[in-house]
Amino acid sequence: VDRLSELGIRKAEWLASLPTTTPELVEAWWHAASCRPNLKDKRGYAAVGIGSGRLPTPAGRQPAAEWTPAQSAPARTAELRPSAHGDLWRSALARLRAAVSPDEYATWLAPTEVLDIIGGIVVVGTPNVFVRDRIEGAYLAPMRDALAAELGRPVEVEVAIGSSVPV
């Protein structure tokens, strides 16, 4: 708990209570978050990774399966390659766009992107704390449903401040 609190990670007590949380896991995820220069919410990203109970994927190594739309392929159980996240997210956003007003979509959903998929957790990046807080308060369940529909399996969504686009 001390190291998690020292790093300022939300849910420190809960994460420390998980049987898979070790000092090595905490340091590995903190290092992985620190190596992502465009990630503004390193603490949130690290918390998601620690909560997964798995070590981060080494840089340059990509998981084997590639995402395809749920309607044209059976449900996938493997993780997605980062290059496929854009197509997945565009399809999920199309589902969300149909459920909200054009202004809501443009303000809160359009500036988001999938930063990573860690096990059954999809990490969605937002440009700032305001968008993150609004999504957590109003759009988390619809995002989870849209992503689950696209992937053909249940997922959890964590929201972090960050982008994969260089600034």
Side-chain angles (χ1 to χ4, degrees), residues 10-112:
R10 297 186 287 173
K11 306 176 189 175
E13 287 186 27
W14 176 77
L15 288 169
S17 73
L18 297 175
T20 55
T21 301
T22 64
E24 295 79 18
L25 185 71
V26 171
E27 293 306 320
W29 277 105
W30 186 249
H31 177 74
S34 298
C35 290
R36 294 180 71 115
N38 301 318
L39 186 65
K40 296 177 187 172
D41 190 4
K42 294 181 187 332
R43 291 173 182 90
Y45 183 82
V48 171
I50 294 164
S52 77
R54 299 179 344 179
L55 289 170
T57 303
R61 194 182 113 219
Q62 306 299 327
E66 186 169 331
W67 174 82
T68 57
Q71 60 269 25
S72 65
R76 303 281 187 194
T77 55
E79 290 185 46
L80 311 177
R81 289 199 325 228
S83 63
H85 295 339
D87 291 339
L88 166 66
W89 192 234
R90 280 186 288 282
S91 295
L93 281 176
R95 289 175 182 268
L96 291 166
R97 180 179 230 154
V100 300
S101 75
D103 288 341
E104 284 180 289
Y105 178 83
T107 303
W108 305 114
L109 300 172
T112 61

Side-chain angles (χ1 to χ4, degrees), residues 10 40-41 108 126-136 159-162:
R10 297 186 287 173
K40 296 177 187 172
D41 190 4
W108 305 114
T126 67
N128 57 54
V129 68
F130 304 109
V131 175
R132 182 196 69 196
D133 289 351
R134 180 65 176 159
I135 286 173
E136 286 179 341
V159 185
I161 302 167

